[in-house]
């Protein structure tokens, strides 16, 4: 067939514009998709609260189901009261395998005992997974507890990054004014 000549019964080929290339995610630049997550422990202060039960643990469960947390991941829930069926952060019907990742500690956030037990859980996680003591401390508590929890973590060396990285996530508003936000920031970094 010569250009410009169409034979009967044959449809001419029309050049269709190709679909635009998807834009790369700028947050993934330099990252490999196949990288296995590092061993880590998510420590949730206020785990029996409504926010943790309805939002946080559901999100973590979804990440776990999608295989994005790795095999060396566990959760230490920390509350002020002993765990009961009513305060159980993971309701019945959840996968039992996910429940095996969960540990619970309770105690007074102003004292050292609860932080000592959290430190023991981090040690056990390190021994069980043969990895570093990487930890994320998620404060799903009233703002009045941010400073005592941060101070407790600091007193027992749980913010020390010599044995693995540590991060603190504060869920709620960070202070009520610029002055209180600066005070809280100074307290967390001391």
């Amino acid at each position: 067939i010569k250009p410009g000549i169409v034979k009967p019964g044959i449809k001419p080929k029309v050049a269709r514009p190709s679909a635009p290339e998807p834009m790369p995610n700028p947050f993934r630049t330099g990252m490999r998709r196949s990288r296995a997550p590092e061993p880590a422990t998510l420590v949730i202060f206020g785990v029996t609260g409504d926010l943790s039960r309805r939002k946080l643990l559901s999100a973590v469960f979804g990440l776990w189901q999608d295989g994005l947390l790795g095999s060396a991941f566990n959760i230490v829930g920390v509350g002020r009261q002993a765990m009961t069926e009513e305060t159980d952060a993971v309701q019945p019907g959840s996968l039992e395998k996910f429940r095996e990742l969960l540990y619970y500690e309770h105690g007074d956030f102003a004292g050292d005992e609860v932080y000592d037990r959290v430190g023991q859980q981090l040690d056990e996680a390190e021994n069980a997974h043969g990895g570093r003591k990487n930890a994320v401390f998620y404060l799903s508590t009233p703002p009045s507890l941010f400073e005592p929890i941060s101070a407790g973590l600091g007193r027992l060396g749980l913010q020390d990054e010599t044995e693995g990285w540590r991060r603190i996530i504060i869920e709620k508003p960070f202070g009520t004014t610029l002055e209180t936000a600066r005070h809280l920031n100074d307290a967390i970094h001391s």
Side-chain angles (χ1 to χ4, degrees), residues 47-48 76-83 102-106 121:
V47 73
T48 58
V76 176
V78 185
R80 291 186 279 183
Q81 304 165 358
M83 181 67 74
L102 303 173
Y103 303 90
Y104 184 77
E105 297 294 343
H106 72 281
Q121 290 289 353

Side-chain angles (χ1 to χ4, degrees), residues 40-44 56 60 73-77 134-138 169:
T41 299
L42 173 62
V43 181
I44 304 172
L56 183 57
V60 172
F73 177 83
N74 62 326
I75 301 168
V76 176
N134 299 327
V136 175
F137 300 102
Y138 194 106
I169 298 174

Side-chain angles (χ1 to χ4, degrees), residues 137 151-162 166:
F137 300 102
L153 293 171
R155 276 193 312 274
L156 271 81
L158 297 177
Q159 294 179 357
D160 180 23
E161 292 190 310
T162 57
R166 303 295 166 97

Side-chain angles (χ1 to χ4, degrees), residues 81-109:
Q81 304 165 358
M83 181 67 74
T84 65
E85 285 186 32
E86 293 172 1
T87 60
D88 191 348
V90 178
Q91 299 300 318
S94 298
L95 292 175
E96 290 302 314
K97 193 103 171 128
F98 181 71
R99 291 177 73 91
E100 292 173 10
L101 303 175
L102 303 173
Y103 303 90
Y104 184 77
E105 297 294 343
H106 72 281
D108 179 13
F109 293 159

Side-chain angles (χ1 to χ4, degrees), residues 18 33 46-47 55 59 62-63 88 97 112 124-125 127 143 152 161 189:
S18 61
R33 281 188 184 259
V47 73
K55 303 285 185 180
L63 291 171
D88 191 348
K97 193 103 171 128
D112 288 346
E124 288 179 26
N127 293 335
E161 292 190 310
H189 285 96

